[in-house]
Amino acid sequence: MKAIVIGGGFAGLAAATRLAEEGHAVTLLERRPILGGRAYSIVDETTGDVIDNGQHLFLGCYRATRAFLARIGTSDKLALRDDLTLTYLEGGRLKRVTPSTLPAPFGLLAGLARFEALSFTERLLALRVAAALKAPSRLAPAATERETVTGWLARLSQSEGARRAFWNPIAIAALNDDPQIASARMFEAVLKEAFLGTAEDARFGVPRVGLSELYCDGAARFLAAREAVVRLAAPVAEVRVRSVSGTRSVEGVILRDGQRLDAEVVIAAVPPRAVLELIPEAARKDEHYFDGLAHLGTSPIVSIHLWFDRLVTDEPLFGLLDSPIHWVFNRNQLGAVKDPSRSHLSLVISAARALCDRPPEELIERGLRELQKALPTVAAARLVHARVIKEREATIAHKAGADHLRPKPRTPIDGLFLAGDYVRTGLPATIESAVRSADTAVRMAVEYEPPPPPPPPKGFIPIGNLTRKTSGTRG
């Protein structure tokens, strides 16, 4: 099968490597000169450290993602911890939640029972959340379609203090959205994946290397070894669609330079608005499938990288309570720094709509101030370098009731499939959702049977059927 994959992020590379692994002829097209989509690495010129355009957390329950990394041979570059210990800092004091190895969901409950940020009553009431996940009832209801995270947790008798100290930080990290507007249904899905599975599922980790080395370089090597074609700086102008007897099917793509590429299937692994730009308006006419793509909002992530002249903490990852800074990643603990005598901390602000347009200097000052309040050792350290990275469309917005806007992988155009974190997989827009959507798109593409080529126009004789009459001498 001849396949074209548009987009070189997690979804596109996962789809292309799956197709190549199964022996199909694959061409991957990426509009930018590098692979990575919205998850890539750069080198800071001042320090030489490799930094990501947004630090990413991985969970043990990311089975599709881990299978993708295993396929391209980079599993060892992902550092998964032994458990899902969550550490928070407040006024210099550490507070931890460490789930035990008891069967789900009792492991989580055992961890909450020791979490000093919650009162005894709040720890008992957390049982309702576990019950709602495991066996929903009138007293422990499941999340509803148009319910927010805040609304659902309130119905489950989770106090404002419990939400602030435990549930909200998880929701913000998982959904990249404000719990007051974010979908409870998507939050429920995350909790089930992480806490109702096996002990292996309830682990988290971060890459030991930059994102580009974690998956882009390995995927490129994998594809090259299988003679797949990877074309960078090759923006696609249009997906070619033909219509025969009212049935629309793909023929290939047209690049912006006018080049036409043929394919039996096309997997578009690009953001929602880019999908609408790629498909001719005539091919989308009267197809309600595409309506929701234009209405999917986005949510930004801001990363503030701070370098200090000394080591300030040995905690690999911690959250800040009551702070605009949600999570702090210690790059030293990952071995991802050129100078191990200095601290390199990555401060992450999820759903950063209110701060995304602020100047870098203001964000650096605010990040430093928040870090000094939570971590007293920072006060004695000297800031030697700082950098701000803004990813304005990091994920789709997970507004309550908006899940129906997310498309399924199969489009109404035969042979065209969508892949990406925004595709409807039952999970929020995470790396895992992107890779799962790619796996589904590939499965559908392999099962697809392209229509026969259209008959030639009337009166047209294919050149291969022409014969030449020559004169000869009769003997």
Side-chain angles (χ1 to χ4, degrees):
M1 179 179 70
K2 200 171 184 179
I4 288 176
V5 177
I6 308 172
F10 263 105
L13 290 173
T17 54
R18 276 287 298 271
L19 287 165
E21 183 181 44
E22 295 185 20
H24 301 289
V26 182
T27 297
L28 184 139
L29 305 171
E30 167 55 47
R31 68 177 178 84
R32 299 191 309 166
I34 61 169
L35 295 171
R38 287 167 294 146
Y40 59 90
S41 306
I42 57 176
V43 177
D44 181 74
E45 295 176 356
T46 301
T47 65
D49 286 359
V50 173
I51 56 178
D52 300 326
N53 67 325
Q55 187 72 56
H56 286 65
L57 266 177
F58 291 74
L59 293 173
C61 58
Y62 281 16
R63 296 184 192 88
T65 303
R66 293 172 66 188
F68 165 50
L69 297 180
R71 180 161 67 246
I72 62 176
T74 60
S75 292
D76 61 322
K77 299 182 188 300
L78 182 63
L80 277 173
R81 297 182 62 175
D82 292 335
D83 54 42
L84 193 61
T85 297
L86 302 174
T87 303
Y88 302 100
L89 263 175
E90 187 177 33
R93 293 187 62 200
L94 284 173
K95 301 174 180 180
R96 302 184 195 274
V97 181
T98 305
S100 75
T101 56
L102 294 171
F106 302 108
L108 170 63
L109 298 177
L112 282 174
R114 300 187 296 269
F115 188 37
E116 62 182 36
L118 301 183
S119 69
F120 178 74
T121 301
E122 287 170 334
R123 297 175 206 178
L124 284 179
L125 287 172
L127 286 166
R128 285 198 179 180
V129 179
L133 298 177
K134 191 77 172 178
S137 65
R138 185 177 60 82
L139 292 176
T144 59
E145 175 64 28
R146 297 187 176 275
E147 197 167 22
T148 66
V149 171
T150 299
W152 181 53
L153 291 174
R155 278 207 300 146
L156 291 170
S157 302
Q158 303 305 294
S159 70
E160 184 177 344
R163 297 197 300 268
R164 175 192 70 85
F166 182 70
W167 300 114
N168 286 354
I170 298 176
I172 292 169
L175 305 180
N176 189 35
D177 223 330
D178 185 341
Q180 296 187 65
I181 63 173
S183 166
R185 183 68 64 82
M186 287 295 96
F187 186 49
E188 180 185 57
V190 170
L191 294 178
K192 285 181 177 179
E193 288 271 330
F195 295 122
L196 291 191
T198 65
E200 177 71 13
D201 293 336
R203 300 172 65 194
F204 79 81
V206 290
R208 303 178 193 274
V209 295
L211 285 170
S212 294
E213 186 177 346
L214 175 70
Y215 80 104
C216 298
D217 298 348
R221 289 191 297 269
F222 183 94
L223 292 170
R226 286 153 184 81
E227 300 183 347
V229 176
V230 176
R231 295 183 58 175
L232 303 177
V236 176
E238 184 178 297
V239 173
R240 291 162 49 207
V241 180
R242 67 172 178 171
S243 182
V244 178
S245 302
T247 299
R248 299 179 178 120
S249 59
V250 296
E251 291 184 309
V253 302
I254 304 174
L255 302 185
R256 284 188 191 166
D257 63 6
Q259 186 178 1
R260 299 164 72 90
L261 303 179
D262 295 332
E264 296 166 272
V265 300
V266 173
I267 296 178
V270 295
R273 294 184 191 278
V275 172
L276 294 177
E277 293 171 0
L278 289 175
I279 302 173
E281 188 175 348
R284 290 188 278 114
K285 188 178 180 182
D286 301 325
E287 293 290 358
H288 296 298
Y289 170 92
F290 298 103
D291 292 349
L293 292 174
H295 299 289
L296 282 171
T298 59
S299 185
I301 293 177
V302 171
S303 300
I304 306 170
H305 291 267
L306 302 178
W307 285 263
F308 297 96
D309 65 348
R310 67 197 69 182
L311 300 179
V312 296
T313 181
D314 57 4
E315 286 292 330
L317 166 67
F318 52 91
L320 300 185
L321 297 180
D322 294 328
S323 170
I325 309 298
H326 298 125
W327 295 96
V328 179
F329 294 82
N330 186 351
R331 302 286 293 174
N332 293 68
Q333 291 292 310
L334 300 173
V337 296
K338 290 288 186 181
D339 185 352
S341 68
R342 294 181 172 184
S343 280
H344 175 188
L345 303 182
S346 174
L347 287 58
V348 176
I349 307 170
S350 298
R353 296 181 183 92
L355 296 174
C356 200
D357 291 327
R358 307 309 301 169
E361 298 77 15
E362 179 183 325
L363 293 172
I364 291 167
E365 182 181 346
R366 180 174 291 201
L368 183 59
R369 187 168 61 247
E370 293 293 324
L371 197 57
Q372 288 171 338
K373 285 193 302 185
L375 200 61
T377 52
V378 173
R382 180 172 62 88
L383 183 68
V384 296
H385 182 55
R387 181 166 184 168
V388 173
I389 298 178
K390 301 176 181 179
E391 188 63 40
R392 294 181 179 275
E393 297 185 355
T395 67
I396 60 169
H398 287 95
K399 187 177 178 182
D403 196 49
H404 70 283
L405 299 174
R406 298 171 67 179
K408 294 181 179 179
R410 189 190 303 276
T411 77
I413 299 172
D414 290 347
L416 175 64
F417 307 93
L418 300 188
D421 59 1
Y422 65 92
V423 171
R424 199 183 308 178
T425 60
L427 292 176
T430 57
I431 291 170
E432 178 68 3
S433 183
V435 179
R436 287 191 192 184
S437 74
D439 289 346
T440 303
V442 167
R443 176 176 53 78
M444 292 178 172
V446 170
E447 293 172 353
Y448 169 68
E449 294 185 10
K458 263 188 175 180
F460 173 77
I461 303 175
I463 195 167
N465 292 346
L466 291 175
T467 57
R468 185 177 178 187
K469 229 175 185 180
T470 58
S471 58
T473 308
R474 304 181 84 175

